[in-house]
Amino acid sequence: KGAGMTLATLNKLCELQNLTSCLLPQEELDIRPKVSSLLGKLVNYTNLTQGVKEHEEAESTDGSKKKVSKSPSMGTLMGVYLPCMQNIFGVILFLRLTWMVGMAGVLQSFLIVLLCCCCTMLTTISMSAIATNGVVPAGGSYFMISRSLGPEFGGAVGLCFYLGTTFAGAMYILGAIEILLTYIVPQAAIFHPSGAHDASSAMLNNMRVYGTVFLILMAVVVFVGVKYVNKFASLFLACVVISILSIYAGAIKSIFDPPEFPICMLGNRTLSRDQFDVCAKTIVKDNITVASKLWELFCHSTNLTTENCDEYFLMNNVSEIAGIPGAASGILKDNLWSNYMEKGEILEKAHHPSVDVAGLKNNLHLYVLSDIATSFMVLVGIFFPSVTGIMAGSNRSGDLKDAQKSIPVGTILAIVTTSLVYFSCVLLFGACIEGVVLRDKECVSHHPWCICLMFLFLQVFGHGKANGEPTWALLLTALIAELGILIASLDMVAPILSMFFLMCYLFVNLACAVQTLLRTPNWRPRFKYYHWALSFLGMSICLALMFISSWYYALVAMLIAGMIYKYIEYQGAEKEWGDGIRGLSLSAARYALLRLEEGPPHTKNWRPQLLVLLKLDEDLHVKYPRLLTFASQLKAGKGLTIIGSVIQGNFLETYGEAQAAEQTIKNMMDIEKVKGFCQVVVANKVREGIAHLIQSCGLGGMKHNTVVLGWPYGWRQSEDPRSWKTFIGTVRCTTAAHLALLVPKNVSFYPSNHERYNEGNIDVWWIVHDGGMLMLLPFLLKQHKVWRKCKMRIFTVAQMDDNSIQMKKDLATFLYQLRIEAEVEVVEMHNSDISAYTYERTLMMEQRSQMLRQMRLTKTEREREAQLVKDRHSIARLESLYSDEEDEGDPVPENIQMTWTKEKCDAEKRNRGSAVGSFRDLISIKPNQSNVRRMHTAVKLNEVIVNRSHDARLVLLNMPGPPKNTDGDENYMEFLEVLTEGLERVLLVRGGGREVITIYS
Amino acid sequence: KGAGMTLATLNKLCELQNLTSCLLPQEELDIRPKVSSLLGKLVNYTNLTQGVKEHEEAESTDGSKKKVSKSPSMGTLMGVYLPCMQNIFGVILFLRLTWMVGMAGVLQSFLIVLLCCCCTMLTTISMSAIATNGVVPAGGSYFMISRSLGPEFGGAVGLCFYLGTTFAGAMYILGAIEILLTYIVPQAAIFHPSGAHDASSAMLNNMRVYGTVFLILMAVVVFVGVKYVNKFASLFLACVVISILSIYAGAIKSIFDPPEFPICMLGNRTLSRDQFDVCAKTIVKDNITVASKLWELFCHSTNLTTENCDEYFLMNNVSEIAGIPGAASGILKDNLWSNYMEKGEILEKAHHPSVDVAGLKNNLHLYVLSDIATSFMVLVGIFFPSVTGIMAGSNRSGDLKDAQKSIPVGTILAIVTTSLVYFSCVLLFGACIEGVVLRDKECVSHHPWCICLMFLFLQVFGHGKANGEPTWALLLTALIAELGILIASLDMVAPILSMFFLMCYLFVNLACAVQTLLRTPNWRPRFKYYHWALSFLGMSICLALMFISSWYYALVAMLIAGMIYKYIEYQGAEKEWGDGIRGLSLSAARYALLRLEEGPPHTKNWRPQLLVLLKLDEDLHVKYPRLLTFASQLKAGKGLTIIGSVIQGNFLETYGEAQAAEQTIKNMMDIEKVKGFCQVVVANKVREGIAHLIQSCGLGGMKHNTVVLGWPYGWRQSEDPRSWKTFIGTVRCTTAAHLALLVPKNVSFYPSNHERYNEGNIDVWWIVHDGGMLMLLPFLLKQHKVWRKCKMRIFTVAQMDDNSIQMKKDLATFLYQLRIEAEVEVVEMHNSDISAYTYERTLMMEQRSQMLRQMRLTKTEREREAQLVKDRHSIARLESLYSDEEDEGDPVPENIQMTWTKEKCDAEKRNRGSAVGSFRDLISIKPNQSNVRRMHTAVKLNEVIVNRSHDARLVLLNMPGPPKNTDGDENYMEFLEVLTEGLERVLLVRGGGREVITIYS
């Protein structure tokens, strides 16, 4: 129950999260109509979705309603373009872009920006296609993906998106504090570096403390209501725009009048400016040259003595260079190439004069050090959050006049705009600023007032506090954000949220690609400029970026998504909509079936594909549910099972009844754990219905090859001959369709799925070779728990005058080759006692050769088949030695594979000549001429079987075919009854005329 | 034709390659019975398989037959264990193991050996399972994988194995030359380093020249015959054994008496010994201290002046340390940890006294330098070839007495033995030898005579030169090996062959895992100690090792394998055996179908799944093949198509005929490019057969939902009413089964797949709402090339007194929401003219509400459905405004989604009250009471349709349902004829009673 609650909450969370995701790490905005003309339009602009606005309005009972001007239909500019722009531009642009240019160089920075922008652009194309495919209510990525790939994917991706945005919140807070503590009020720091080496850890602790305070503040603001802060929103937008414009202005100004920004260098190393003022070794004070502060720091002495001095300090000059030489200085040339650094490396200016000193580097705290190891991959992860936020437009589809036009146009325009800004910024930073400055994180705040950007909001969950959940959700979100804040480093948090966003974008692309490739009729996006290849490319880029920026985070993110997927699947989310996954299943099934379509499977791949013919009573209940139990034990969960049943009646009137019967059977299948399909047909006559089921069940390569049929109990007592006539008719049908047949007799005594046979035997009476069915069935049964501990015994019948010891040995060898473990026993009987039974075999042979002709085998196949026939032939010999019949003239290759003694081989060759003749004689025997002989055989065989197998768990017997002439039907039934009398559980088996087992791998 | 030839050759190559792969990079062996007792057994030992031996015997016409003692049945020791051992131990053990220990340290070396041995051990387990699953002829990995995963995989893996072994040949040659040029005859070098920096490139050139010479020599030897070299084989085996034993002996000896192996160090740097003799700065010669050779080298002067001296030389002492301090020295402690180096780094001894000098390092050529950058990953790739060769045993299964026992036991024992040797060698090397010695590749030849190992053979292709191919194959192999030799560095070639072997092992594991999980009945390995999890682990390790040792090689190897796979698949390899992939397809199809089984699809996912009922004439030819053309155009290659046909007769006798008919239909499907399934049933009456097809076609969730039926042409002329009676019966059946029905009239005039309509219209006469079928069908048809350029027009019928402009606008909006592009036209007609037609709609409504009840919808679903009904209802209103009927009381939600004017909405609400009443009135109308009205409607409608759509490419019309009373059947046929008279191509459409299109995404 608890889990269910959690799931419900989780689902709710996702839904709510996405409903309000446009609220996420971004500034609220509410511009007053001060500027006329174009800005006049901005009157109606708000970054809140309708739902949130309504909530806010409902809350504001103090008459502030007039101020919020409600507009249900927004245009592209107000509804999509501006919100997207606002969401895309973020803290990274101002805090890390210069640093990135310094590290990666202008060219590689271009590449990073290009990669990230391509990724979002392609995702936008996919998203546009999905968003313009019918009415899209609010809900963003979760909605889009759950509607196209199902709730499992939707939930997983939605939660990823939620985690991403939560971490983004943490990142924004960290960014704000970084600026606050570095530029605005450095004196506010609580922890101060106590030694040379813990500068960074002190900073991190400051971040943690202030971050947590900020977070609590934010949570309170959200709890009270966003609308109070919303009033300052116009200020924030202005800041963003002015900041960006000022970058361009500054760059242009730097051409004519580069700003003064001196950097103090010792040799080629950059000195950290916060511990000294004058950039010189000595200063002239009152006309006396005294040691500067720098000298004191490096020499630990206020005198101009050199004894304790740092060697590098002595050997190198102190110089001052321009930090921002301006666009005209040609500094761009130096900044073109990358300059990645290890953690703790000193910022050095290449080609600057310097004398190197061997040994350990001292006084590291006086230099500017790299605080993180950088590489192309790391920078990708840190930059990526700057391009997220593209879903802001699609999240507000409910508020748009024409969502299906505005979303693609607005989002794509926003991406183009922001991409251009990023590219130009990279170029300008590279062209104007000295490399060592770029690479120093703490030097890059061009305008201290960009702090005003950093006022930001935590996610608002849900539309009110009336419902208990949002408070809970707010707490959860705050906790997760706190996690991000405890990490404390912007550079560490950024890759984490990159992962989650990339994951989300990946699935948007996947959803578009899948639907395009499946060509669902419902996939008719109004936005036409999509293509599955583009979506696929986008998907690949997302995946590549995930693994490029951090392969272990990527794996963790995937693991989290996978776990959520499985959890939602396990909980069985209630689907109120159709999804593309069903279409995918259908396509997969169709593709797999079409692949199968080519011809019957090879002997090696043969497995019983069952058609179980169930009888229903008048109340549509299953008459012998143990048939299903037996089927489930035989399949052990693998392969095809079709349960067929026939209802007598007229289809036009019996549709409802058939549906009900199908439901009954399906319930019974669930109980008996049969995984398969159910097929109920209505027919005027049961026999016809069964014939049609046998003919038309299955699809393509997924057809049954074995029919399971119940024994018509009480046929002797019943006056109505239809029952056993139907039985014999079905037997004839299976023979005609070349299917195998299994008839479990006394099926009610068969074990249920809960029983376990811990001992006992499965006895096979292998009198006629049936292609191996009799060998294979016990093996398959033994895969199931019920039969696992049973032993298999094979009985074969020998003539009195034969060498039964050699025969036993041969059979044991054959079983060894088949890798089947069984005890072999040879029972001696008079030939005359069993001839009626083995007569059947020759019919089988006839069928087989006919089949071979029909199958139009290729030459090689025929050779292979011939070899199989040979094996069978060899086995058949085992019996033919003890019967008066001979095999027909199948092609027998010279190369003999089985273990035969030379004499036997010769004997066989000698016999072959007479074989055809004696076979012809046999056909001429009319079945009804041999009735007496048949009955005699049945009685004798039954005697022997009962004698040896009376305590067996299951007895498998060959089932002879029914007489061609229907006059003998009753005799045939009697024959079977006599044959199986006194045995508890009998399975009558009739092969389908093809090999089902082979010694080859 | 050329491609076919190439494929044939390729296949042959794979097969041959694998047949003889046991011959691959290894030493031939033919020990004479000199040593008695245990070695006496070795008499019969040979590393050749039976086939090769026979070939060799056949070739040796010079009476050498007596010498080769033929033994068709070998035991585990001779047949598997020794060949495996011999194949596994290789050049790497002697050339690179010490170096690996030096670089990676003892612990990480253990890890490398463990990883590699685990990989081969797990692969052996999988291989044993595959090899003991039935008779395995020779052929190795290719055979095993092609038999279990299909020829495509087999070919790909076989070729990988071939490339691997070929590169292994190159590696062995390179190893031999490395030893030759480094230790035996360094003076044989052709290229000499001319400067300080090209020492390695000179060596590489030497390798290339000598390698090519060796390769040509080998090729000649193979071309002439292996048997001449085979005579020295015994010598090689002895060498391997003695070499390994000598390692142990040396280690034991080193405890008491460490060998003298001085290393000259300058500071902590190792000096290269080949340019000086005395390890000192000065020597005392004639009592005068003069500069040593070392001094000369570093100071470029024979005097003891220091002016031009290397600074490092001056500041550090020259010392000599013991290179092999022995196991008792405790050197193991220093060698435990890794000491990876960059390329060109100087070998330094850690913790050795040294004074560092800043600036560039000079005189690098005097020190021992690392010639390759090392890391754990690189070493894995270089070491892996030392564990390959595990398939030597399984390749000789044909020669084994009991292959199924010998292969697992022998191979596993061989792996255990070799693993123990590797582990102990790692430990001994680490315990006895100084780190700088270990890390110096050129110092590690403990015993110069291990060169004798390095006599090796190129692959022998095929069994003789009589056939032209082997010569060609030999040349190809030589060329590929030459590629490896041109790479020239053992350390570069080793990872390449690692890739190919790992790929091969990966697939062996995969094959075992797949077969175990599929539980094919044929999967009964005698070797019981396998498990799919082990195979899966093995697979993962293989994959991990591939990517660890070199991810780009791994990708290239996979690409190569993928290309071969696709090539063989494209060429359509002839399968003479069954493979597991078919089982996989079957499982996939079953799994996908079982997933689908849950209920009917959502409207969103609806797509027509066709059951096309084909008529066959007396000669079993398809009567109207254009029905298939139409089906293929409608599906555009997607979704399910079942072609059904009925043959009249008795199933017991007509099986052959049914098979023939199926073949005919399949041929026709190929011609018409219909991808789907074919189902022919034999029935006593055609009508019954069709009824059964409609009921029982398809499987699980993959059922048809639409029936395509031909029009019974000439029903008016025919005396036999069966033709049109069957037609109407089928229409009734589809209605009873809630299926949609499509009847293309004049199907012979429908376009073939080659025609292209570059203009023209598809006209939809949307008179009765049918769940959207009429809207969807033209959209689907337009997906096909034939119809792509047609325009869609929708005609709807309005009453004279209605606002048809508003109606047109509403319909256009609806179509916009549906994202379907169509021209909308409203045709005004008198209500009385069309009422008979719209009567049909109310019946549909009845069906629908019945369906809703039957479907036992959950509450949310019902709400959703209700909304859909609402939409439909809204549209229905469009017509109901122009008819005298009203909708029944479906639940209509208050929230209206469609664009309705407020007035309309109100009007609708007002109407609803009277709706139920008027609906009841309508039901009471007996169909035959309205015959005249019907005919009038037909004539009037036909007039309008012909007027507007006479030049349309296709006209889609609602098809009214047949009368319940069969008396009216003839009238019904007449009605349809009149309705469609004068139209060239008509498609009559009857919805299945459920929505098929929605405005939601």
Side-chain angles (χ1 to χ4, degrees), chain A residues 902-975:
Chain A
K902 195 141 192 158
E903 307 86 68
K904 273 202 167 185
C905 196
D906 289 344
E908 194 185 38
K909 275 177 189 161
R910 263 181 280 114
N911 285 340
R912 199 166 303 136
S914 60
V916 182
S918 62
F919 175 66
R920 293 228 174 94
D921 292 346
L922 197 87
I923 299 195
S924 61
I925 302 173
K926 293 275 174 333
N928 46 356
Q929 285 179 356
S930 57
N931 261 347
V932 179
R933 211 169 85 188
R934 276 174 180 274
M935 278 306 154
H936 176 72
T937 300
V939 172
K940 283 282 174 190
L941 259 176
N942 180 256
E943 240 172 50
V944 176
I945 294 172
V946 170
N947 183 24
R948 307 293 290 263
S949 301
H950 59 91
D951 58 349
R953 296 295 184 185
L954 182 67
V955 177
L956 280 84
L957 267 181
N958 291 109
M959 179 178 182
K964 288 217 166 177
N965 197 322
T966 50
D967 296 346
D969 284 359
E970 206 154 358
N971 286 326
Y972 175 70
M973 294 300 289
E974 201 64 52
F975 177 87

Side-chain angles (χ1 to χ4, degrees), chain B residues 801-819:
Chain B
D801 54 348
D802 199 78
N803 180 358
S804 58
I805 293 163
Q806 179 60 36
M807 196 167 161
K808 188 171 172 176
K809 218 165 134 188
D810 288 351
L811 188 54
T813 309
F814 180 60
L815 284 171
Y816 180 81
Q817 299 256 35
L818 284 177
R819 291 103 59 210

Side-chain angles (χ1 to χ4, degrees), chain B residues 928-959:
Chain B
N928 45 358
Q929 286 177 356
S930 57
N931 262 347
V932 179
R933 211 169 87 186
R934 277 177 178 275
M935 279 306 153
H936 176 72
T937 301
V939 171
K940 283 284 174 190
L941 259 177
N942 179 257
E943 240 173 50
V944 176
I945 294 171
V946 170
N947 183 26
R948 305 293 290 264
S949 300
H950 59 91
D951 59 350
R953 297 295 185 184
L954 182 66
V955 177
L956 280 84
L957 267 181
N958 291 107
M959 180 176 179

Side-chain angles (χ1 to χ4, degrees), chain A residues 133 147 517-518 522 524 526 578-579 590 604-605 607 639 682 688 692 695-696 816 818-819 1001, chain B residues 133 147 518 522 524 526 578-579 590 604-605 607 638-639 682 688 692 695-696 816 818-819 1001:
Chain A
N133 186 43
R147 260 56 176 182
L517 286 175
L518 285 180
N522 191 54
R524 309 180 296 267
R526 174 142 314 115
D579 61 62
R590 185 176 148 273
K604 246 177 67 179
N605 283 324
R607 64 161 95 219
V682 179
E688 273 173 16
H692 280 122
Q695 284 184 69
S696 70
Y816 179 81
L818 284 177
R819 291 103 58 210
S1001 77
Chain B
N133 186 44
R147 260 57 176 180
L518 285 180
N522 190 55
R524 309 178 297 267
R526 173 141 317 113
D579 60 64
R590 185 176 147 272
K604 243 177 70 180
N605 283 323
R607 65 160 95 218
K638 292 279 158 185
V682 180
E688 274 173 14
H692 281 121
Q695 284 183 70
S696 70
Y816 180 81
L818 284 177
R819 291 103 59 210
S1001 78

Side-chain angles (χ1 to χ4, degrees), chain A residues 590-660:
Chain A
R590 185 176 148 273
Y591 178 78
L593 279 175
L594 282 174
R595 260 188 87 106
L596 279 178
E597 181 73 307
E598 305 138 17
H602 189 268
T603 305
K604 246 177 67 179
N605 283 324
W606 197 93
R607 64 161 95 219
Q609 316 270 49
L610 302 182
L611 168 65
V612 182
L613 293 172
L614 275 194
K615 215 179 207 166
L616 300 176
D617 60 16
E618 292 73 29
D619 305 330
L620 297 181
H621 290 135
V622 179
K623 226 170 174 182
Y624 302 108
R626 276 292 149 87
L627 270 179
L628 291 176
T629 321
F630 173 69
S632 90
Q633 287 168 11
L634 188 58
K635 302 303 300 181
K638 292 278 158 184
L640 176 73
T641 314
I642 305 174
I643 312 296
S645 193
V646 179
I647 292 178
Q648 202 162 1
N650 179 6
F651 177 57
L652 298 185
E653 291 144 16
T654 338
Y655 181 76
E657 208 174 316
Q659 299 283 91

Side-chain angles (χ1 to χ4, degrees), chain B residues 50 72 136-138 394-400 403:
Chain B
Q50 206 59 39
V136 180
S394 62
N395 285 337
R396 16 196 333 125
S397 53
D399 307 341
L400 296 171

Side-chain angles (χ1 to χ4, degrees), chain A residues 23-95:
Chain A
L23 262 187
L24 300 186
Q26 71 196 25
E27 306 81 68
E28 300 299 321
L29 190 72
D30 192 49
I31 285 197
R32 298 281 157 281
K34 282 170 194 159
V35 196
S36 63
S37 70
L38 181 93
L39 284 182
K41 285 183 183 179
L42 289 172
V43 164
N44 291 330
Y45 176 59
T46 164
N47 210 354
L48 293 171
T49 52
Q50 205 61 38
V52 181
K53 279 207 308 199
E54 275 160 16
H55 160 62
E56 291 288 325
E57 280 166 43
E59 267 209 341
S60 58
T61 47
D62 53 348
S64 64
K65 269 179 190 168
K66 283 164 243 159
K67 284 180 187 169
V68 186
S69 59
K70 194 174 166 182
S71 70
S73 297
M74 287 194 282
T76 306
L77 183 76
M78 291 293 105
V80 182
Y81 182 71
L82 285 183
C84 273
M85 285 273 285
Q86 218 182 342
N87 267 23
I88 293 172
F89 282 131
V91 68
I92 294 286
L93 167 62
F94 300 101
L95 274 183

